[in-house]
Amino acid sequence: TPKEKNAAQTLTIMSLILGFLFAGITFLNYWMGITPQNGETILSQMAKGILGDSFFGHASYYLFQFSTALILAVAANTGFSAFPMLAYNMAKNKYMPHLFMEKGDRLGYSNGILTLAFGAMILLLIFNGNTERLIPLYTIGVFVPFALSQTGMIRHWKKEKGANFLKPAFANILGAIICYAIVLILLLFRLGDIWPFFPIILVLTFLFLSIHSHYQKVAKQLRLYEGIEKRTYDGNLVLVLVGNVTRVSVGAINYAQSIGDEVLAMHISTKETAEKDQEILQEFADHFPTITLKNINTSYRNIITPSVKYVKRIAQEAKQKNYTVTVLVPQFIPNKPWQNILHNQMSLKLKYALRWHEDVVVASYS
């Protein structure tokens, strides 16, 4: 197809350019007698020797260095364009979380970009930005996948061409030999620098397989089977969690009455707040005399546990009456997001604790 033909031509041209540059740089380094030095790259030494010490030479040298930096920046950016796509495909096949399939506001897979950036920062911190230690790790991380991909292509050609696979697979065989040779050299001479690669790969492999297994189990749980009985309910019981009688809690009660066949309210009272709680109970009774407010006394400051226990009990009673249960959590939303840090976020904690219980709908009212 034209697409494949253009891709092959592009790769051929790029390979020729890369080969020409590599051969030229290698020849110039040998011809000029350049040797590695601390604090200056081979390319920098070569540029100084060729461009000279004139004003034009100095200007050209800095232009050369700037161009090299731009090329390296583009090269570094390839990871941030390739990894999100890789993560997308792995998430699509259920080997990575589905959040890697989501696109950001700029139509890029921002979760993959952020993950790669975070991972890069972690590596820089662990290795203190030492490129002599990072480059071998990068090399093994590159050439092991290269070797595996070339091996996969050899198997592809053998499967497709049978006994006549050698000719179309020649480039892949050569590439595989080179890649495996580099991996072997690294194992023999730089094992002390590349050993973290192997436990990381094992952990990631286990993680990917675990994620895939999880998605398979979830799919099995959610799959519809023939003969599933449709269930109808006789009513809806709405339980409103009340901390104080405020505009938010009053609105939540009004909303609960509009959607529920039966409405209950619950308040947690502690020893430290006993006096204040009596005022809350009286104020609630004045505003909603027809609604039962269950006041639960606890000797602990933790209100999550008694709340969950009461919700469980209500859910069991509702199940006996064939009612659904909706837990309504009043939540105050400040005008500005940063103001959230000024509040205890108890509503979020309650919703998080209640979300794990089956047959209970947890909703917010703000």
Side-chain angles (χ1 to χ4, degrees):
T1 62
K3 186 176 181 180
E4 294 174 347
K5 184 178 179 181
N6 292 336
Q9 290 177 349
T10 302
L11 286 174
T12 301
I13 294 171
M14 291 176 65
S15 300
L16 291 174
I17 293 173
L18 179 62
F20 176 77
L21 287 174
F22 180 76
I25 292 171
T26 303
F27 170 75
L28 288 173
N29 286 336
Y30 176 77
W31 184 59
M32 298 173 67
I34 295 174
T35 57
Q37 295 181 9
N38 288 330
E40 188 173 11
T41 64
I42 294 289
L43 286 177
S44 174
Q45 296 179 59
M46 184 186 71
K48 281 183 178 179
I50 294 173
L51 298 173
D53 296 328
S54 64
F55 174 79
F56 177 77
H58 281 293
S60 300
Y61 167 77
Y62 286 112
L63 179 62
F64 177 84
Q65 290 290 84
F66 180 70
S67 301
T68 304
L70 289 180
I71 293 172
L72 291 174
V74 173
N77 189 55
T78 56
F80 288 92
S81 59
F83 175 77
M85 286 301 302
L86 172 65
Y88 166 82
N89 285 304
M90 292 188 68
K92 188 177 180 181
N93 290 289
K94 298 180 173 57
Y95 284 98
M96 288 184 72
H98 284 170
L99 60 89
F100 287 100
M101 297 172 62
E102 300 174 1
K103 287 188 175 182
D105 295 336
R106 299 190 178 184
L107 301 181
Y109 299 106
S110 52
N111 290 324
I113 295 172
L114 292 174
T115 301
L116 183 60
F118 181 75
M121 288 188 290
I122 293 296
L123 283 176
L124 287 173
L125 290 173
I126 292 175
F127 291 93
N128 199 27
N130 189 341
T131 54
E132 290 186 5
R133 297 175 62 193
L134 283 169
I135 288 176
L137 196 62
Y138 164 80
T139 306
I140 190 71
V142 167
F143 281 98
V144 166
F146 280 0
L148 294 175
S149 65
Q150 294 297 327
T151 305
M153 286 302 300
I154 295 170
R155 291 189 61 186
H156 163 75
W157 288 120
K158 188 173 182 180
K159 183 178 180 181
E160 186 172 297
K161 301 293 184 178
N164 300 319
F165 78 98
L166 287 176
K167 184 178 179 180
F170 175 76
N172 300 120
I173 294 172
L174 181 62
I177 292 172
I178 294 172
C179 291
Y180 281 117
I182 293 173
V183 171
L184 181 61
I185 291 170
L186 289 170
L187 289 173
L188 292 175
F189 299 103
R190 301 302 294 268
L191 184 61
D193 294 320
I194 66 172
W195 69 265
F197 170 81
F198 300 102
I200 290 173
I201 286 297
L202 290 176
V203 171
L204 288 177
T205 302
F206 174 77
L207 185 63
F208 295 150
L209 293 175
S210 299
I211 291 172
H212 186 70
S213 175
H214 166 76
Y215 281 128
Q216 286 182 321
K217 291 177 181 177
V218 169
K220 188 176 181 180
Q221 291 174 353
L222 298 178
R223 188 176 296 119
L224 291 175
Y225 298 96
E226 293 183 4
I228 291 180
E229 182 181 353
K230 292 184 179 180
R231 183 175 177 181
T232 57
Y233 295 94
D234 297 328
N236 180 29
L237 187 151
V238 183
L239 176 64
V240 183
L241 307 185
V242 177
N244 287 294
V245 180
T246 63
R247 291 177 61 183
V248 178
S249 57
V250 169
I253 292 291
N254 292 331
Y255 176 70
Q257 289 177 314
S258 68
I259 65 171
D261 299 285
E262 183 179 349
V263 177
L264 297 176
M266 181 193 71
H267 177 77
I268 303 296
S269 178
T270 63
K271 289 183 178 180
E272 291 82 358
T273 61
E275 186 175 343
K276 174 67 175 176
D277 291 332
Q278 291 301 318
E279 297 178 5
I280 293 173
L281 296 176
Q282 184 59 49
E283 189 175 2
F284 185 89
D286 294 339
H287 284 86
F288 303 101
T290 60
I291 295 178
T292 302
L293 174 62
K294 176 66 176 179
N295 183 47
I296 300 175
N297 294 299
T298 177
S299 56
Y300 303 99
R301 294 182 180 180
N302 178 21
I303 70 171
I304 302 294
T305 302
S307 299
V308 172
K309 287 183 178 179
Y310 184 70
V311 170
K312 284 184 178 179
R313 199 182 86 187
I314 290 297
Q316 291 174 353
E317 295 176 359
K319 190 174 183 180
Q320 294 175 357
K321 296 191 295 184
N322 197 31
Y323 271 36
T324 60
V325 177
T326 301
V327 179
L328 201 58
V329 183
Q331 183 176 357
F332 170 69
I333 305 296
N335 293 328
K336 298 180 180 179
W338 68 266
Q339 294 173 342
N340 281 305
I341 62 175
L342 304 177
H343 304 275
N344 60 17
Q345 304 299 323
M346 184 56 67
S347 59
L348 296 178
K349 297 176 183 178
L350 284 168
K351 286 192 295 182
Y352 182 81
L354 294 170
R355 65 183 295 185
W356 307 107
H357 298 281
E358 295 182 357
D359 301 324
V360 175
V361 178
V362 182
S364 299
Y365 182 90
S366 56

